[in-house]
Amino acid sequence: MLDMNPSISIIIPMFTMLFFLSVQSKFSTIFNNEKFLDIQILFNSSNIFSLLLWCTLIAFIAIFYQKKCSKKVFLVDFACYKPSPRGICSKETFIEKSKSGGHFKDESILFQKNIIDKSGIGGKAYLTESLLKIPPCISTIEARKETESVIFGAIDELLLKTKMKVEDIKILITNCSIFNPSPSLSAMVINHYKLKHQTLSYNLSGMGCSAGLISIDLAKQLLQVHPNSYALVVSTENMNSGYYLGNNKSMLVSNCLFRVAGAAILLSNISSDSHCSKYHLKHTVRTHKGSQDICYNSVFQKEDETNKIIGVSLSKDLTSSAGFALKENITTLGKYVLPLLEQVKFVSTFVLKKYFNNKVKIYTPDFKLCFEHFCIHTGGKAVLDEMQKLLGLSDVQLEPSRMALYRYGNTSSSSTWYVLAYCEAKGRIKKGDRIWQIAFGSGLKCNTAVWCALRNVDPIKEINLWSDEINEFPVNVSI
């Protein structure tokens, strides 16, 4: 059964019936001869059955057209959370707090210092205040406070920017990999903003840094079957729950990279919103390499060797696994976005390598022909270096991701929105520009989203978390 606005389903048949009744008399006077006898019979007032059939047909055509138009998904606007200055944690402060807590051995302190020095993260990224205490205060209460501050802060800013009424939100999707209390984070949002009881709510957990784009894909699919709807997507991670207090080096890496952040995104499938929205969602592609053990184990939450302390282990194979997943993803995406010549080059070398000469190098398509902006997940300097190499990007093209990493750290599932916000603050988004978001997550997954800008984004009018300091960037982050 077609799902559409009840008022539309009533108005369209009524309108078409009135239309045919009005033209019926005109047909009777103009075509008053045998040649048009069939038309007269068709529109004769006594032939109500035929009239209703025609009205019904026209109505279904109109409904089908409306349903087809509603399949487009628009990004009305988004907002990224900027924590309080009290949470700023320099590299020196991080090491000092680590020493003072008494949880880490000297070699663990030195290891963390080396990781931070090579991470590409600057001195103004944010930790949650509960971890800056001595000793750090790790508890469900503190984790909930952190998440509430981030989620509500991002949503409040989004509502302010869009003038959106919360009662108009029909779909709600939240995602956080580590912290998943009961009631869920989606229930937390519904309770705080008093959303309607009919709200379709979803909470994604354990899906890592790519959960933000997975949420966008889920929202897109839901908007395909729920016309005239708004979807709110909220992406975050929780530092308090994810902080590791042991001495396993593979688990200490996440302490050094992840920082407090979150983003709220408003999507719509209402055709009239195309005039006020920023972007049109063109494609989403999801790639999951969990069937391969090396990928599955590259990011793994477990107890360390003490069997008491839980942490997230990051494997040495993580970067190579991410690159492998990216190649699979762009193979699928390429057929939608690449010029024909680029597709031919790729397919021809693939066939040559597989069937004729294993030494032939498969051609890497030039995605710079397809996109003006690249928003790559800020997983760390090593991840960005690998993506730059694989995609053949220039330093300028990778600048937004490097600056987002430098200023805010690894912001997990919300990272690509911090990167896009940088592009907007720099005034680089012009009407018709194509944006490619790329994110990686545990499993291992690579997920991408392609957007097209519907208008120029004026950095003076569009205020975001970068606005008050954007003139300070870019900075030199070379080590």
Side-chain angles (χ1 to χ4, degrees), residues 280-341:
H280 171 213
L281 180 58
K282 303 289 289 185
H283 308 286
T284 55
V285 176
R286 295 175 55 181
T287 302
H288 203 308
K289 304 302 295 181
S291 59
Q292 300 183 13
D293 291 345
I294 191 172
C295 294
Y296 178 72
N297 293 309
S298 59
V299 181
F300 210 93
Q301 185 181 29
K302 58 184 179 180
E303 289 86 0
D304 63 11
E305 57 274 8
T306 67
N307 291 322
K308 295 180 180 179
I309 308 175
I310 297 176
V312 178
S313 173
L314 303 182
S315 165
K316 294 180 180 179
D317 299 313
L318 176 58
T319 302
S320 59
S321 296
F324 182 47
L326 175 66
K327 289 179 181 179
E328 293 281 344
N329 189 279
I330 63 178
T331 299
T332 302
L333 180 65
K335 62 185 179 183
Y336 300 117
V337 300
L338 284 172
L340 181 58
L341 181 58

Side-chain angles (χ1 to χ4, degrees), residues 221-356:
Q221 295 188 49
L222 291 169
L223 289 170
Q224 301 296 309
V225 294
H226 294 283
N228 304 308
S229 300
Y230 287 101
L232 174 62
V233 174
V234 186
S235 297
T236 189
E237 193 48 80
N238 190 276
M239 299 300 97
N240 190 283
S241 292
Y243 197 70
Y244 173 64
L245 294 175
N247 290 279
N248 185 302
K249 291 184 178 180
S250 68
M251 295 180 175
L252 285 169
V253 175
S254 60
N255 285 3
C256 303
L257 298 179
F258 287 92
R259 295 294 183 265
V260 174
I265 304 97
L266 181 64
L267 302 174
S268 168
N269 63 3
I270 303 173
S271 299
S272 58
D273 282 336
S274 63
H275 303 294
C276 60
S277 297
K278 283 185 176 180
Y279 306 100
H280 171 213
L281 180 58
K282 303 289 289 185
H283 308 286
T284 55
V285 176
R286 295 175 55 181
T287 302
H288 203 308
K289 304 302 295 181
S291 59
Q292 300 183 13
D293 291 345
I294 191 172
C295 294
Y296 178 72
N297 293 309
S298 59
V299 181
F300 210 93
Q301 185 181 29
K302 58 184 179 180
E303 289 86 0
D304 63 11
E305 57 274 8
T306 67
N307 291 322
K308 295 180 180 179
I309 308 175
I310 297 176
V312 178
S313 173
L314 303 182
S315 165
K316 294 180 180 179
D317 299 313
L318 176 58
T319 302
S320 59
S321 296
F324 182 47
L326 175 66
K327 289 179 181 179
E328 293 281 344
N329 189 279
I330 63 178
T331 299
T332 302
L333 180 65
K335 62 185 179 183
Y336 300 117
V337 300
L338 284 172
L340 181 58
L341 181 58
E342 289 295 300
Q343 295 189 47
V344 170
K345 289 180 180 179
F346 171 78
V347 172
S348 60
T349 55
F350 179 83
V351 172
L352 284 174
K353 181 178 180 66
K354 185 173 182 179
Y355 296 104
F356 298 99

Side-chain angles (χ1 to χ4, degrees), residues 447-466:
N447 300 300
T448 60
V450 176
W451 305 87
C452 180
L454 296 173
R455 57 181 171 88
N456 296 344
V457 178
D458 188 339
I460 298 177
K461 297 179 180 178
E462 300 286 346
I463 305 299
N464 67 38
L465 78 168
W466 289 94

